[in-house]
Amino acid sequence: MEKNNSKVILVGAGPGDEELITLKGINAIKSAEVIIYDDLVGENIIKNNASKDAELIYVGKRKGKHSHKQEEINQIIVNKAKENKLVVRLKGGDSFVFGRGGEEVLAIKKEGIAYEIIPGITSSISVPEIFDIPVTHRKVATSFTVVTGHEAEDKSEGEKQVKLEDLNAQTIVILMGISNLENHVKKLLRNPRRNENTPIAILMDGTRDNQRMVKGTLGTIVEIAQNSDVRAPGIIVVGDVVNILDI
Ligand SMILES: O=C(O)CCc1c2[nH]c(c1CC(=O)O)Cc1[nH]c(c(CC(=O)O)c1CCC(=O)O)Cc1[nH]c(c(CC(=O)O)c1CCC(=O)O)Cc1[nH]c(c(CCC(=O)O)c1CC(=O)O)C2
Ligand SMILES: C[S@@+](CC[C@H](N)C(=O)[O-])C[C@H]1O[C@@H](n2cnc3c(N)ncnc32)[C@H](O)[C@@H]1O
């Protein structure tokens, strides 16, 4: 009777730097027979750790360029596991922070396939951090919220959950928001807690060699971004923490 090796391990690859993935995640990649990976996974992570015999399957997404629909990704994961293989599903940051990892776990559980989840360092906290921006800070910010800058296109107006103007956290972190920056700024300014002088930063390619930050205020950032070749992937951080460590 052939041993049942069918198993899926969801691994969070962290923000990009090869040294910012967990040891447990690296060990899973080294043992993997199949690696199904995303676009925002640091390129060296697979190159330096995957077995030369491992099958590599790219299922990445960039704005407007989705190589596969989520349902297709779910099916690829299940089909490969059913070939009696150890499958690693490798995603940027942490799989459960806007990574659709929950949907993939549901698809795996429905098929009764063994799985394991290895957390990753999410960019929503670590990328501000490497630019000296703490998402909380004593007497300045006692709450932070992480929201998507783009809602799923198949949502009705009523299902849209993110109302930036209603957010009262002292620190707001927006993922997938670069292309909607101007609209986000307009909505943020509708909240009396914020004004034209509220600090905002855009953090691009964090922990990678070409990482870059542009800073301004809600009154100046749109023009600054237009003159600074701001492009995705990037994180938008809003609140007084943006400048709190600038002494
Ligand atoms: O539903 C969609 O994915 C289409 C709408 C859309 C989204 N982001 C978007 C777009 C435009 C586009 O990608 O063309 C816009 C989008 N999608 C993406 C990016 C990253 C980038 O291009 O810089 C961006 C940001 C572009 C920008 O900054 O303007 C890529 C993306 N979306 C997503 C993921 C994670 C994943 O799929 O595993 C990933 C990364 C996958 C990879 O690294 O290969 C998933 C996603 N897309 C989205 C959401 C929010 C859904 C919700 O809660 O309403 C979520 C998170 C979730 O579903 O939990 C919505
Ligand atoms: C769909 S979300 C995935 C988030 C990921 N699961 C995490 O926990 O970091 C993709 C968004 O994460 C942000 N992002 C991911 N890695 C990044 C990095 N190294 N630098 C800047 N932004 C990053 C960008 O906002 C990008 O549009």
Side-chain angles (χ1 to χ4, degrees):
M1 170 79 167
E2 192 183 6
K3 186 172 177 306
N4 180 0
N5 288 327
S6 294
K7 182 175 181 180
V8 180
I9 305 178
L10 277 83
V11 175
D17 179 341
E18 181 184 6
E19 293 185 296
L20 291 177
I21 184 171
T22 62
L23 283 180
K24 200 173 183 72
I26 286 288
N27 290 337
I29 293 168
K30 287 181 174 170
S31 312
E33 294 169 285
V34 181
I35 301 173
I36 302 168
Y37 65 101
D38 274 2
D39 193 80
L40 294 178
V41 171
E43 54 277 358
N44 290 338
I45 288 173
I46 297 173
K47 193 166 71 180
N48 296 342
N49 296 288
S51 153
K52 61 180 177 19
D53 302 323
E55 180 184 0
L56 306 180
I57 304 174
Y58 173 77
V59 293
K61 291 180 194 153
R62 294 308 306 274
K63 174 177 169 51
K65 285 199 305 271
H66 294 198
S67 61
H68 295 75
K69 291 192 179 313
Q70 190 57 46
E71 296 67 29
E72 291 166 346
I73 296 171
N74 295 348
Q75 203 53 59
I76 293 168
I77 294 169
V78 165
N79 293 347
K80 284 298 167 186
K82 284 184 171 177
E83 291 174 13
N84 202 20
K85 297 237 173 94
L86 176 59
V87 176
V88 160
R89 172 68 176 110
L90 189 56
K91 302 167 81 72
D94 182 276
S95 306
F96 280 10
V97 178
F98 293 122
R100 308 194 75 167
E103 294 161 78
E104 295 175 358
V105 166
L106 287 171
I108 294 160
K109 288 182 87 164
K110 280 180 186 143
E111 298 291 332
I113 295 168
Y115 69 96
E116 182 184 351
I117 302 170
I118 299 176
I121 297 175
T122 179
S123 63
S124 55
I125 297 172
S126 62
V127 170
E129 188 161 5
I130 52 126
F131 284 101
D132 277 8
I133 299 174
V135 287
T136 66
H137 189 76
R138 187 63 65 103
K139 297 184 183 161
V140 173
T142 52
S143 66
F144 68 99
T145 185
V146 179
V147 295
T148 175
H150 241 97
E151 299 229 37
E153 279 148 8
D154 56 2
K155 279 184 180 172
S156 66
E157 263 321 295
E159 283 173 324
K160 290 204 185 296
Q161 291 144 9
V162 178
K163 301 259 184 289
L164 284 177
E165 54 273 32
D166 296 342
L167 297 181
N168 290 318
Q170 287 97 337
T171 303
I172 296 173
V173 179
I174 305 173
L175 302 191
M176 300 185 280
I178 300 289
S179 50
N180 279 336
L181 177 69
E182 192 160 357
N183 288 338
H184 297 327
V185 169
K186 282 182 188 143
K187 289 179 183 170
L188 288 164
L189 281 169
R190 286 187 204 139
N191 185 314
R193 282 173 178 262
R194 289 180 281 274
N195 59 52
E196 302 274 323
N197 298 317
T198 301
I200 180 171
I202 301 174
L203 314 172
M204 292 157 277
D205 293 309
T207 82
R208 298 162 191 249
D209 295 342
N210 56 336
Q211 69 178 31
R212 190 160 56 93
M213 167 171 67
V214 293
K215 261 191 190 179
T217 68
L218 289 179
T220 62
I221 194 67
V222 173
E223 188 176 352
I224 291 172
Q226 282 160 355
N227 300 324
S228 316
D229 183 28
V230 161
R231 64 185 116 85
I235 287 178
I236 300 166
V237 189
V238 181
D240 290 338
V241 292
V242 165
N243 298 323
I244 202 68
L245 301 189
D246 295 355
I247 54 170

